[in-house]
Amino acid sequence: MHGIAFKPQETFREDFTFRNSDVAILRFPFPFAEDRYMYSVNIEPHIKGGPTAAYDAVFDIDEHYIAECRDRALTLAADPKRCQVLPHMMAAEWDTLELMMESLSTDYPDLFSFIRNGDDCTWINRPLDIEQRFTFGKPETLPYAPFEYITRQGQGDFSLQDQRDDDLWLDGGMITSQADWSLDFNIGMPFKTWHGPVPKAHEMGVFDRALKFLLRLQLGRPVRRLNWTMTINPRLDTSPDNYPHWGPDRLSVTPENVAQKVYLRVELQTLFRLPRSNAILFGIRCYLISLEDIGRVEKWRKRLHRVLRDLDPALIDYKGMTRFQPMVVDWLSQFDDGATVPSGTAPDQAAL
């Protein structure tokens, strides 16, 4: 048994009751292995195990699972276009459903079961109280299309990339917790167009190398990387479609509340080659941690201070941190004595 203590009633909007337990803080996938940061491809094999427990499963489930699924349902009810898949991607939809059901039931047998006899399938999701019988390959036997059905039950966002003409095309997605990009705007775009707004990375050749690598991604050999930004309040949905609701939050940060208002937002990004469609499933698992909680981990608070203090101004602007970055750096400086911080991202402490 994993013994996950779910928090089904916590919220990521309005009253923002989201909080991390001590367990959740120590399993956070902190993204900075060194005291400086610049874009890089930083891809590694997605094998079970890593600096924290967040890397122990193919698709990580934690205490926020039920609440995040509830928040996703609210977003979809308000804007169904947050889930879109182009018609030619049906094989990739079934590939995704199969991969996620098999992985979740293998990694969390106390929480999920996937029983299959030929094409006759039964899926049991105990945290969400779901038991569904369906016929594999027959979408009419599910309450939603296969991709939407299973990603409504996944933590984090997911997109589907079709491979053709030596490129990857964003031809589907379930995107409800994104960091300021829009599925409705980007769907159908090729890889480098989709990533067009990112500063410096194009001139550094990051996307040329990443595309070349991903076009050769092999079945059964998934990879992962980390990405990060900062956000105000523990809000999952920071989409441009919803900017009027979260954009003004940046004006609410003061030196007195910066530790409680500002969150480090990390994406554990995973990429899987799918077997029938030859498409790529891109998992974007979002984790949030307040500056106040980072302050409880000696290694992380010193390292984050140095990374943000010396961050390239173009990246500060791109990540929307211009107004509050000086307040964050000033708050973190109280913890930084200048001593050498060990390399790596693990917290290097067993308790808080």
Side-chain angles (χ1 to χ4, degrees):
M1 297 286 288
H2 285 80
I4 300 173
F6 293 114
K7 299 176 173 181
Q9 301 305 319
E10 67 181 356
T11 59
F12 303 87
R13 59 184 76 199
E14 298 171 351
D15 57 351
F16 296 110
T17 61
F18 167 91
R19 298 291 183 278
N20 280 312
S21 68
D22 287 3
V23 171
I25 293 170
L26 289 173
R27 74 191 306 281
F28 188 82
F30 189 74
F32 306 114
E34 305 292 341
D35 289 348
R36 296 181 62 83
Y37 173 81
M38 179 45 72
Y39 284 126
S40 65
V41 178
N42 71 317
I43 290 175
E44 63 179 9
H46 184 39
I47 55 177
K48 294 180 183 179
T52 75
Y55 302 87
D56 286 351
V58 176
F59 299 100
D60 183 42
I61 297 295
D62 67 11
E63 64 189 25
H64 308 299
Y65 172 70
I66 297 175
E68 288 191 25
C69 290
R70 291 178 61 244
D71 191 83
R72 162 160 291 158
L74 291 173
T75 300
L76 288 168
D79 184 2
K81 289 186 176 180
R82 300 298 187 86
C83 183
Q84 299 185 52
V85 183
L86 298 184
H88 66 278
M89 298 295 284
M90 183 53 75
E93 293 201 44
W94 286 108
D95 281 340
T96 300
L97 178 143
E98 182 181 56
L99 174 64
M100 292 184 65
M101 286 186 176
E102 288 184 345
S103 299
L104 290 169
S105 60
T106 298
D107 289 337
Y108 304 93
D110 52 326
L111 304 179
F112 306 96
S113 297
F114 181 42
I115 304 161
R116 185 167 180 177
N117 183 13
D119 289 336
D120 296 328
C121 305
T122 301
W123 167 246
I124 299 173
N125 179 330
R126 296 180 184 86
L128 298 183
D129 195 23
I130 292 172
E131 180 169 344
Q132 179 72 46
R133 298 178 185 275
F134 64 97
T135 302
F136 196 88
K138 301 289 186 184
E140 63 272 20
T141 61
L142 288 168
Y144 301 97
F147 181 80
E148 179 172 356
Y149 178 76
I150 192 56
T151 56
R152 276 178 175 264
Q153 301 174 50
Q155 224 173 329
D157 286 347
F158 301 88
S159 71
L160 289 171
Q161 282 64 227
D162 191 28
Q163 183 164 332
R164 60 184 187 273
D165 303 328
D166 291 327
D167 210 334
L168 295 173
W169 302 77
L170 177 62
D171 283 351
M174 169 66 87
I175 308 295
T176 63
S177 56
Q178 68 269 50
D180 202 7
W181 68 279
S182 169
L183 174 66
D184 194 41
F185 181 79
N186 288 282
I187 193 162
M189 286 186 179
F191 184 80
K192 285 188 277 190
T193 304
W194 174 26
H195 291 94
V198 182
K200 290 187 173 292
H202 291 276
E203 61 196 73
M204 294 167 61
V206 170
F207 293 123
D208 289 329
R209 295 195 297 276
L211 178 59
K212 186 176 182 180
F213 179 88
L214 292 175
L215 289 173
R216 291 163 175 76
L217 184 65
Q218 296 181 27
L219 180 65
R221 295 185 178 182
V223 297
R224 68 189 178 209
R225 67 184 296 272
L226 293 175
N227 196 11
W228 70 277
T229 188
M230 303 195 90
T231 192
I232 310 305
N233 296 320
R235 186 189 296 275
L236 288 175
D237 180 15
T238 55
S239 61
D241 321 68
N242 210 21
Y243 183 80
H245 295 286
W246 58 267
D249 289 351
R250 294 171 178 168
L251 302 176
S252 67
V253 181
T254 68
E256 290 74 30
N257 67 20
V258 63
Q260 294 77 40
K261 294 283 284 187
V262 177
Y263 281 70
L264 178 62
R265 182 189 191 99
V266 171
E267 294 175 351
L268 174 55
Q269 302 178 343
T270 51
L271 296 114
F272 305 83
R273 178 69 71 188
L274 298 175
R276 301 173 185 81
S277 58
N278 198 42
I280 290 178
L281 174 67
F282 182 27
I284 312 166
R285 176 70 162 81
C286 175
Y287 298 81
L288 297 168
I289 187 171
S290 68
L291 207 58
E292 186 173 47
D293 284 341
I294 290 174
R296 300 176 68 193
V297 181
E298 181 179 3
K299 178 180 175 181
W300 291 353
R301 65 198 184 201
K302 291 181 181 180
R303 171 143 297 146
L304 186 61
H305 170 249
R306 298 171 194 183
V307 167
L308 295 180
R309 179 193 62 195
D310 301 331
L311 193 62
D312 188 293
L315 299 189
I316 294 172
D317 182 61
Y318 170 67
K319 291 178 181 292
M321 297 164 47
T322 303
R323 186 183 180 279
F324 60 85
Q325 181 260 359
M327 286 185 272
V328 172
V329 171
D330 185 59
W331 188 82
L332 288 168
S333 67
Q334 66 182 304
F335 303 112
D336 193 351
D337 57 5
T340 300
V341 175
S343 62
T345 60
D348 293 350
Q349 62 186 72
L352 298 174

